[in-house]
Structure formats: structure tokens, C-alpha cells
Amino acid sequence: MSYLDNIVFAIVLVVSIGYFAKNVKKIIRNIKLGQNVDRTDNSAARCRNMTLVALGQKKMFTRPIPALLHFMLYAAFVITQIELLEIIVDGLFGTHRFFKISLGGFYTFLISFIEILSLLALIATVLFLIRRNLLKLPRLNKEELLGWPKKDANLILIMEIILVLCIFTMNGTDEVLYSLGNSHFEGIGSFNFAISQFLGPAFFGGLSEGTLHILERIGWWGHFLMVMAFLNYLYYSKHLHILLAFPNTYFANLKPQGEFDNLEAVTKEVKLMMDPNADPFAAPAEGAELPAKFGASDIQDLNWVQLLNAYTCTECGRCSSVCPANTTGKKLSPRKIMMDTRDRMEEVGRNIDANKGVFVPDNKSLLNDYITPEELWACTSCNACVEECPVSISPLSIIMDMRRYLVMEQSAAPAALNSMMTNVENNGAPWPYNQQDRLNWKNEL
Amino acid sequence: MSENLIVPTMAEMLAQGKQPEVLFWVGCAGSFDDRAKKITKAFVRILNSANVSFAVLGTEESCTGDPAKRAGNEFLFQMQAMMNIEVLNAYEAKKIVTACPHCFNTLKNEYPELGGKYEVVHHTEFLKSLLNDGRLSIEGGQFKGKKITFHDPCYLGRANKIYEAPRDLIEKLDVELVEMKRSKANGLCCGAGGAQMFKDAEKGNKEINIERTEDALETTPDIIATGCPFCNTMMTDGIKHKEKEKEGEVKVMDIAELIANAQDL
């Protein structure tokens, strides 16, 4: 019967990781719904980007206060995983503080370090909650965040607080138990952990041994269960970015921001159109691909990097807060473009799950059902959103692909743009002037 | 003002068996827009005075296709691009200079994949190189001591990371260069990009060019300098709008105009 704990622990661990893996597969499947695009070139520059932007959080620091708070959380999150490793060993084998004997003084340093980072994380979390809910920062209180996104953000902060409280409960009570010679770790004295050596006696000193043991287990199990819950919560949350920021920055666009991609399918058509020797009625060559849809009206028309972008979006809204259209009250919000893309992708994913692996048309699409033409036409293509994104997402590329669909598939550009395009086509200028007058300025006073 | 502009065309050059050092891509705004034509002429005056061998395409030039591409019409863009590339390649163009960041970006970044590979420079970069080579000298002249703020065009700045050339030129004028709160990579769009120039803005609570003009006016400048004909129009309109409640005069000028006027060219 004494193995019951270990068995329960193993089951929770396996089920959690299994369920997480199942969801990861779904994410990969959904991202692969997108069109192919080659982003495997120049691995040196890509690695450099990933290291600087995802690992080093370079772009976060354009706004120092949230960057610092975020870094406190991030550092604590990464380094705490060492403690999780010990919890897993202890949980599976029934040991207690397994690393302490082999690591000796370094163990004390390590746990102290974790405790200090955890305390900083706790402070950051509380400040984040205040920023979000009391200070009501404009970019964190926009329309697109109403409902689940707002809950999601607060929920994760509360989970973080519980996690840190568990760490301190676990270490604090164990400290008191150890000083009484009653810890599961053999011996008597102090663990000398930076914070819990003081916090333990202050909070838990004088409690009965039985209570201390129960509290210690609550802290220990609490920490473990919280991490497992967090792991599985990721799939439903904007916090997927803690994993996807890495591939997302690796596969980010390396070309100049002003260079919009060239549509190969169009090049073929235009070349044919301009070739005087081409036979317009000729049958397509053997093996020729069917012409793709021009532009994008749904997630399947976007490429997989754009879909990865959508899963990576943290909904921080830095893009929208610098967007000239958004800040002057227009409907366009680059953040909403990313959130809509993810929502639609998940909807398509659920459709596929429900229909034995095939997508059954649902008479809906990303365009119109999620994103309106009004939003798309408000974009000035200024690249501010792309520049600002801390994880190298490009909302602009999605906006442009959807404009292409509106114009090339539906001829649904605003009337003024249609005249501009007619002028370009007929006169070689966006205004109705004659191309023959192009050099008139030379002789005008 | 004597208008003895020397503006050879590529066709004339070819007839004389000559190849100019640089092809000046004037752009649609620079050719047809009354305000932008002044920028074109100012730039030509500088080229003439620095004895730069250049030529324009003249009536053989056509829209690069930038507004069509940003509006989503890839067909029209590629047709324009391929026609232009045919002309440019026929003249064996190597180096192109332009005063329009939109033409600059498209020629530089989007033409190569369609077969148009040239060395493309923005006029501020080109003027900077003339200065470095000692072919051009810049003095403050009438602008000495004036307060100037520079508005970064998105397609020059963020799109192509050119922030220093225009600023270096402005500083040569012995002026006080003041930065807006949003500048360089954080610059705010003038509101004309992405083909917005050619349509009404979507409904909002403010026009983008007004927002940007307010950024500029916060620095209490004498002159708002820019390096894009579209930004120029948007900022000029912004100033006109704000002047209703504001006294005093703020001018919007292209960097080429600043340099040409400072030398009384």
C-alpha cells in the first residue's frame, strides 16, 4: 500500500503528458492545413534570430517595464523546471530531495536561486494583475479581449501565484520539519534555502508535526499538479507562446519588411499574357497544376508560417497599439487578425475531428465571418505591427493575402481603388494623366 | 528662377552612345503631382550642379505597380513590373536613384524576382554618397539655426532600415534636428501607404495624417522634413488642417528641396 502515492503520481504524469502530446499533434495538424512555404534557408541567421528574440527577448525590451516583469516570470519559469525534475524523481521512486545528497552545496544554491526567482515572479504576477485589472491599460482592455481572452490572461496569472505559494509552502514546512529532525530528508538542521529558512519558521513554526507533514505534501503535490495542469492548459491558451515563440522566431521572414512576396501563379499567367507567341486557347501542359486560388479567404489559403504565427500570438496587443489605423479609431486591429485566424483554425480543426479526419465545408470562412473587408482596407501596410511584435509575427502578410483575394477573386476593391488601378493600367500612373505628359515638369516653371 | 534644367532621357543618351552614371526614376508623383514636381526639380538642380551624369526614362517610364500590389492586385503589379523591367533592361540600367520610397522599395526588393536586378538607391542615400565623395557640399544657408524634425517614411525606414542618410544630410545644414516621440523604427505612418493615398480612409475618430502632424508639431519645428512625396502631401494637408487653430508657419519640405534651396540652386 505504501506505493499508492507513487502509482497515483505515475498515472497523473503519464496521463498529463499523453493528453498534452495528443493536443500537440492537433496543433501540428492544424498548422499543416496551410500552404507550403520554404523557410529552411539561412539557418545561421534563423538561429541568431531565435536566440536573440525568443531566448533573449530582445524585442520585449522596447518597453522596459513589462519587459522586466516578463523577464522575472520567464526566468523563474525556466529555472523552476529543475525542481520539477526532482519532484518527478521523488514522485516516481518515493525518495525525498533526491538531488540534495549528490549536489551538496550546489543544491542549496540552486533551490535558493529558484526561491529568489519565484519571489520575483510572484511580485511580477501581482503587478501584472494590477496592470490588467486595476490600471486598465488601454491595449489590455480592448474589445477583442472581452470574454475568454481576458479570463485566460487572469487565470494564468492566478495559476502562477498558486504555483509559487506551493513552492514556498513545500520548502517552508520542510525547513521546520528538518529543524525538528522530522523531515523525510534524513538529519537535523537547516536547509539554508535563501527564503524558506526565514519564511518557514515565521509562517509554519509552532504547527504540529502532523499538520506540517500534510502542508508539505499539499505544497509538493500542489506544485506538481499545477505544472501538469498548466501543461495541458497551454493548448487552450495564449500561453502557447512559451513553446511556439521558438519555432516562430526561427521561421520568421528574413527579407526586408517592405518586400511583399511574389505570387508565382500570377507570374506564370502574366508571362503567358505578355508573350505574343503564346496561344491563349492552348490546353494546359501535361501535369500542369490547376491554378491556385489567388490570395486567401480562409485558413487553408494561408501558409503554415502564418498559421504558426496565429498559435504563437500572445495577445499582448503591442501591434494594435502602434497600428496607425487602430490608434485613430478604425476597425482594424492586427491583434484581432491573429486571434481570428487562430479561432477559425481551431474551428476547422474541430470540424476535421468531428468528421473522421476530413474537413466538411461549413459555409463559413475567415473572410467575412471573422475578418471584415473594412478591417482589411484600413491597413496602410506600414509594417509597424510587424516591427513591434516581440515574437516576430506578421499580421500584415495575412491582411495582404486577404486583400489579394478580395481584388483578384472577387473584384471587391473600394471604388476609388478601382479607378486608381484602371489609371495604372491605362495611363501608367495612379492618376488620370497621359503617359506622354510624364516629362512635362521639365519645362514647367 | 532660371529653369535651365538639364534632363536627358535614356533614349537620347543611347542615341549618343552614352550610358549615364545613374538612372533617375522620377515616379508618378514626381512626374504629375504639382507639389512633388518641385521635389523632382530640386533634385535635378542638385544633380546638375554636382555634374552627375544621369538620365530619366521620360515618357517610357510607367508606374512601378506599388499601389496596385499593396491594394492586392498582383496581376496589375506584375504586368507593370514586367513592362518596366523590359524597358530598363533594354537600356542596360545598372544603378537607379529615386526620390520616392515606394518606387525605391518596389524596384529594389520586388523587381529582382521578376528579372529586374539593379542597384537601387533612395535620393537621400545618393546625396549622402555625393557628399562623401566630395562632389556635393552642403551649407546651411537660409536654414541655418532653424529647427527641423524628420518624418520617417515607412517604406524608407521600417521597410528598408534607412534612417541615417536623411538625418546626416539635415544635420549638414547647420540646423537643430529634433526627433518626434515616434521616430525611426517606431515612426508613425503618414496615412498614405498601402494605396490609402488613393481612397478615403475607413471610419475612425481621426485621420492618420492629423495624428502624425500633431507628433511633428509637438517638437515646435520650423520645418517638417521628409523624403517621400506622399508623406509630403499628407503632412502638408495636416499642417493646413492644424493651421486653422494655430498661428505661425510650419513648412513641409523634402530633403532635396532643403539642400537645393540652401545653396540657392
Side-chain angles (χ1 to χ4, degrees), chain A residues 62 255-271 273-274 294 321-332 373-388 396 400 403-408 413-431 433-445, chain B residues 1-3 5-9 12 24-34 37 40-41 44 56-65 67-80 82-83 86 105 109-110 113-114 154-155 158-161 163 182 185-189 191-208 211 230:
Chain A
T62 51
K255 292 177 176 168
Q257 284 177 7
E259 178 181 343
F260 291 5
D261 64 335
N262 187 58
L263 280 193
E264 283 296 334
V266 171
T267 311
K268 274 186 220 149
E269 303 264 325
V270 171
K271 279 195 172 143
M273 221 159 19
M274 292 179 64
F294 296 116
S321 74
V322 295
C323 171
N326 188 266
T327 49
T328 53
K330 281 119 189 135
K331 280 220 175 95
L332 172 63
E374 182 181 345
E375 293 165 62
L376 298 171
W377 289 118
C379 174
T380 67
S381 76
C382 74
N383 264 305
C385 56
V386 183
E387 179 77 37
E388 191 70 13
L396 176 56
M400 284 314 304
R403 275 191 184 179
R404 284 169 171 174
Y405 178 83
L406 284 174
V407 171
M408 292 191 285
L417 286 187
N418 280 331
S419 343
M420 178 274 286
M421 291 188 281
T422 309
N423 287 328
V424 169
E425 200 170 346
N426 297 335
N427 311 323
W431 299 286
Y433 296 112
N434 194 320
Q435 190 164 358
Q436 293 310 311
D437 295 337
R438 242 188 140 89
L439 200 49
N440 289 3
W441 57 269
K442 183 174 126 178
N443 303 314
E444 288 167 10
L445 274 184
Chain B
M1 198 188 303
S2 67
E3 283 287 351
L5 297 179
I6 307 160
V7 191
T9 62
E12 289 161 9
F24 172 30
W25 185 276
V26 183
C28 299
S31 304
F32 293 119
D33 181 85
D34 284 336
K37 279 194 267 191
T40 306
K41 285 194 252 186
V44 168
V56 299
L57 283 173
T59 56
E60 290 183 278
E61 190 187 284
S62 185
C63 172
T64 57
K69 186 165 180 113
R70 314 289 130 184
N73 195 337
E74 184 76 6
F75 269 100
L76 180 53
F77 162 73
Q78 292 200 11
M79 282 199 287
Q80 288 296 122
M82 284 186 203
M83 285 191 295
E86 233 169 71
N105 176 69
N109 297 321
E110 289 166 355
E113 248 183 276
L114 297 167
C154 303
Y155 275 84
R158 265 195 300 273
N160 290 290
K161 306 273 170 275
Y163 303 112
R182 291 183 268 202
N186 299 320
L188 181 75
C189 178
Q196 297 292 339
M197 183 76 189
F198 309 102
K199 65 184 255 300
D200 287 330
E202 271 58 34
K203 206 159 70 61
N205 47 37
K206 202 188 231 177
E207 296 295 334
I208 295 169
E211 172 95 353
F230 297 104

Side-chain angles (χ1 to χ4, degrees), chain A residues 131-205:
Chain A
R131 270 163 57 88
R132 236 170 227 282
N133 299 293
L134 297 178
L135 299 181
K136 294 207 179 290
L137 246 61
R139 77 181 156 94
L140 301 177
N141 286 281
K142 286 278 166 75
E143 202 182 350
E144 64 255 33
L145 295 186
L146 292 176
W148 169 246
K150 190 179 167 77
K151 258 191 224 134
D152 178 21
N154 282 327
L155 209 57
I156 206 95
L157 290 170
I158 290 162
M159 283 168 94
E160 187 73 33
I161 291 179
I162 296 173
L163 197 68
V164 172
L165 293 182
C166 284
I167 290 177
F168 285 123
T169 307
M170 174 178 96
N171 287 349
T173 50
D174 207 19
E175 170 76 19
V176 177
L177 285 167
Y178 192 49
S179 71
L180 299 171
N182 285 325
S183 167
H184 289 291
F185 190 79
E186 220 167 287
I188 184 165
S190 170
F191 287 122
N192 286 318
F193 298 149
I195 292 171
S196 56
Q197 63 168 310
F198 306 110
L199 197 136
F203 277 84
F204 307 110

Side-chain angles (χ1 to χ4, degrees), chain A residues 24 43 58 187 236 248 283 323 377 411 428:
Chain A
V24 167
S43 53
K58 181 181 157 204
Y236 305 95
N248 199 69
C323 171
W377 289 118
S411 304

